[in-house]
Amino acid sequence: KRVFFQGATAKNRALVAAFEQRLGRPIMVSKFCHLTGAMGVALHLRDRDEGGTTFRGVGLYRTALPVRTEVCDLCANHCKITVAEVMGETVAFGFLCGRDYNTGSYVRHPNAFDLIRERNRVLYRDLPPAGETSSGEAALPVTVGIPASLHLFDEMPLWRKFFDILNIRTVTSEHYRDGISEGKNLTGAEFCAPMAALHGHVNYLSGRADYIFLPHYMENRHNNRAVKRNYCYYTQFAPSLVLSAIDIKSKEKILTPLIRSNLGTFYLKVQLFRMMKTIMGPGVGFMQVSGAYDQACEYFHRVREELKELYERESAGDDIRVVFVGRPYTILSRGMNNGIPEIFSRHGIKTFFQDMLPDAGHDAGGLLEMIHWKYASIIMDAAGTVAAADGVYPVFVTSFKCTPDSYVMEYFKKVLDNSGKPYLILQLDEHDSSVGYETRIEAAIRAFRNHRASSRGAAASFSVIREMGLSKGKDIFAGKTLLLPNWDWISCRFIESVLRKDGIDARVVSESADSIHRSMRFNTGQCIPLNIIVQNGVDYVERHGL
């Protein structure tokens, strides 16, 4: 309700006026706006009770201070540091690890919990190194490449185990870091960063493996067999999109079985069997492939349960913990996450991923039963669990241009707002710099700790989802009008007719150049149709007196 604009840019009156016009309310600017950052540092140091001071005096500005830049080569960060000579002392800043200039080695912070390293230790503990097999027999003279991108990234231990049981060597792109930049040059269209990265990973493996495993993921059944979860529509057809964009001489070397669908496990095994006959020839039997898949699934389930045990062991203590929610191929991939987990680790914060949370047994009715996206439902389930946990705070990491996430993001905010907990949402783009996230993460950590100190994490039940007024059945529309966004004039009129046939007063809202222009005030930049309905809906209600 009250907006303060801080920082030196607030002295630009045109910028202040632009914000006021966009937000439709006055912006408050202090005459000391350019000093608020320094004031914040002073308040922060006062809270920490640092004691003495190393202030060099006001007269220092009269002294000539030689300044130079260097690049630190002690680790892969390659920090660009600034070095100054101040009154006979060499001082420097810009080290991501926090070391002093005279410290000649990379500083690993004590008790730092490396989320990705600890997860990999559990997930790959019993798997052979890439390019090898665990059996004593000679491996088959073929190599299968597995792109460490999209859903294959999440299921990498499963498929590496599957091929290992069949004595087939695998190579992966898990250490490949240029997937996004390379993929953007190959796609020929505007995709989200994960889709672009998949193109890059497949192209990387095309010259390093005899076959490339690139299966279709269509939908995934929930524990409740009546509930189906769809994968993102782009990723459902990812193999076809990649094959049309990348110049691969032997298209038959791309293995594209349908492995996640509503057709059941037997159909999946038939698909894998046909695929393995392409690799191993007629000598392979269906029962051999079926048994290998069952063993791989058993292994995958066991190590994922161990991740929950890891969370139970490491989540003890009085300090806050952070749980990342979102898509695993974005958060857990070092080539995608812009070092965000490492930033939290440098601040001494233990971080975990949503699949490490214990099964809390919340009633997931209402909203979760209405969500048909696989990862959207997992995100909302995790949000409810974190909202009810003491000292645990969520960080939602998503990719720009991700349409499913643009919808679930709004529900995520409501769940956490109703619980009274602060949260952080980070949207990643194709750029590979982590600098822009550093200050936001630092502010979030401070907000989390302030909340922890003031309320000790007042628990909130998962019922906040149901309290949002989202329940199944058309009774929620009784005496109300349902407005449909006009994203497609043909299909939306069809939906309107179907709903009216069922007794619901549904109406497709009209649109104009003016309404679309005004709707951009509500646009998050992710998905325009959702925001058009917000503004158009208001216009429609006003015009028709609804």
Side-chain angles (χ1 to χ4, degrees):
K1 295 180 180 179
R2 294 180 178 84
V3 182
F4 288 84
F5 191 0
Q6 302 182 83
T9 52
K11 288 186 173 292
N12 185 333
R13 294 185 179 182
L15 198 54
V16 175
F19 276 119
E20 287 182 331
Q21 184 179 23
R22 186 67 176 264
L23 298 177
R25 63 189 63 185
I27 304 292
M28 301 180 187
V29 179
S30 167
K31 63 180 179 180
F32 302 114
C33 60
H34 59 297
L35 300 176
T36 50
M39 292 175 179
V41 172
L43 291 171
H44 178 62
L45 292 174
R46 187 187 67 177
D47 292 344
R48 291 173 55 180
D49 193 21
E50 289 292 330
T53 176
T54 57
F55 182 52
R56 301 303 179 95
V58 176
L60 186 64
Y61 80 92
R62 302 189 187 94
T63 305
L65 302 177
V67 177
R68 66 182 187 277
T69 59
E70 297 179 4
V71 175
C72 176
D73 294 321
L74 294 179
C75 75
N77 286 330
H78 297 297
C79 301
K80 185 177 181 180
I81 59 176
T82 302
V83 183
E85 303 295 333
V86 183
M87 301 174 66
E89 181 184 358
T90 301
V91 296
F93 58 89
F95 298 103
L96 291 179
C97 73
R99 76 177 180 91
D100 292 326
Y101 184 69
N102 294 324
T103 303
S105 61
Y106 170 83
V107 175
R108 184 170 295 280
H109 293 271
N111 302 321
F113 180 80
D114 189 324
L115 170 64
I116 298 177
R117 184 186 66 226
E118 293 299 321
R119 283 180 62 90
N120 290 344
R121 181 182 59 81
V122 173
L123 293 174
Y124 300 108
R125 181 184 59 235
D126 298 331
L127 291 177
E132 301 179 14
T133 60
S134 57
S135 68
E137 305 174 5
L140 294 179
V142 293
T143 302
V144 174
I146 308 177
S149 186
L150 289 185
H151 314 304
L152 283 171
F153 180 91
D154 189 26
E155 296 185 354
M156 184 66 71
L158 167 67
W159 297 113
R160 282 183 56 181
K161 186 69 173 178
F162 171 76
F163 287 110
D164 180 56
I165 294 172
L166 294 174
N167 203 28
I168 294 177
R169 292 177 294 116
T170 58
V171 294
T172 73
S173 56
E174 292 173 273
H175 300 292
Y176 182 53
R177 295 290 183 267
D178 299 324
I180 297 178
S181 58
E182 182 67 24
K184 286 181 64 179
N185 298 326
L186 298 169
T187 57
E190 284 292 328
F191 289 112
C192 60
M195 276 295 296
L198 175 66
H199 286 72
H201 283 261
V202 173
N203 188 63
Y204 170 80
L205 291 173
S206 62
R208 293 171 170 80
D210 300 304
Y211 296 89
I212 297 179
F213 184 56
L214 191 62
H216 284 278
Y217 287 76
M218 299 300 291
E219 60 186 9
N220 193 51
R221 284 194 176 274
H222 190 257
N223 293 334
N224 176 3
R225 296 187 63 82
V227 178
K228 294 184 294 183
R229 305 294 191 199
N230 289 329
Y231 291 91
C232 163
Y233 44 80
Y234 274 153
T235 64
Q236 286 176 328
F237 305 102
S240 301
L241 292 171
V242 170
L243 287 175
S244 66
I246 299 179
D247 183 19
I248 298 178
K249 294 181 180 179
S250 301
K251 300 288 186 181
E252 66 275 7
K253 298 298 184 181
I254 306 298
L255 309 172
T256 59
L258 176 57
I259 62 172
R260 296 289 178 256
S261 69
N262 63 350
L263 299 175
T265 305
F266 181 76
Y267 180 84
L268 182 155
K269 291 180 177 180
V270 170
Q271 289 278 295
L272 291 177
F273 170 62
R274 291 173 177 171
M275 178 190 75
M276 296 311 301
K277 287 181 66 176
T278 302
I279 301 175
M280 303 175 67
V284 64
F286 175 78
M287 296 306 297
Q288 182 183 3
V289 175
S290 175
Y293 178 74
D294 289 337
Q295 292 180 54
C297 287
E298 181 182 352
Y299 169 81
F300 192 48
H301 175 74
R302 185 177 75 251
V303 294
R304 288 173 73 93
E305 288 299 311
E306 291 182 20
L307 290 178
K308 296 180 179 181
E309 297 174 3
L310 177 64
Y311 173 83
E312 293 292 337
R313 291 196 307 270
E314 296 290 341
S315 61
D318 291 332
D319 199 5
I320 61 170
R321 286 94 67 200
V322 162
V323 172
F324 292 117
V325 300
R327 298 167 188 271
Y329 50 79
T330 298
I331 303 171
L332 301 175
S333 169
R334 296 190 189 274
M336 291 286 297
N337 62 26
N338 287 349
I340 289 173
E342 287 78 7
I343 295 175
F344 280 97
S345 180
R346 288 199 298 270
H347 287 278
I349 305 298
K350 287 187 176 181
T351 58
F352 306 92
F353 187 55
Q354 60 197 17
D355 64 354
M356 303 171 72
L357 294 172
D359 297 324
H362 290 297
D363 176 16
L367 179 63
L368 286 185
E369 292 188 8
M370 298 173 67
I371 293 178
H372 66 279
W373 300 112
K374 171 181 167 62
Y375 285 113
S377 62
I378 294 175
I379 291 168
M380 292 308 301
D381 197 5
T385 302
V386 173
D390 182 28
V392 183
Y393 297 87
V395 174
F396 186 180
V397 181
T398 180
S399 295
F400 196 67
K401 303 175 187 174
C402 179
T403 300
D405 280 3
S406 72
Y407 286 84
V408 75
M409 194 184 302
E410 302 304 317
Y411 295 124
F412 172 84
K413 292 177 183 177
K414 290 181 180 179
V415 169
L416 272 300
D417 287 341
N418 286 343
S419 74
K421 268 194 173 183
Y423 54 88
L424 176 62
I425 297 177
L426 297 173
Q427 292 178 281
L428 308 183
D429 55 23
E430 294 86 352
H431 305 292
D432 59 357
S433 173
S434 63
V435 175
Y437 306 108
E438 184 92 29
T439 54
R440 296 183 63 191
I441 290 173
E442 291 175 354
I445 291 173
R446 186 168 179 83
F448 296 161
R449 283 177 168 153
N450 286 345
H451 178 269
R452 170 76 165 168
S454 61
S455 65
R456 297 299 294 178
S461 69
F462 197 71
S463 61
V464 293
I465 291 181
R466 298 195 301 275
E467 291 169 2
M468 292 161 57
L470 297 167
S471 58
K472 295 191 68 175
K474 64 180 182 180
D475 57 311
I476 63 173
F477 299 113
K480 300 178 180 178
T481 299
L482 175 64
L483 301 178
L484 300 175
N486 187 13
W487 63 75
D488 179 78
W489 183 235
I490 297 177
S491 61
C492 288
R493 282 189 296 172
F494 175 77
I495 296 172
E496 178 188 61
S497 300
V498 172
L499 293 172
R500 283 180 171 274
K501 175 77 173 177
D502 203 35
I504 298 174
D505 183 15
R507 308 187 190 188
V508 178
V509 299
S510 59
E511 63 183 38
S512 65
D514 179 62
S515 65
I516 293 176
H517 176 73
R518 284 187 288 139
S519 73
M520 298 301 290
R521 293 186 342 214
F522 303 91
N523 185 18
T524 62
Q526 291 275 67
C527 181
I528 292 177
L530 174 66
N531 303 289
I532 289 178
I533 183 60
V534 174
Q535 183 59 38
N536 282 356
V538 173
D539 293 343
Y540 200 92
V541 168
E542 291 175 348
R543 287 199 306 271
H544 295 82
L546 299 177

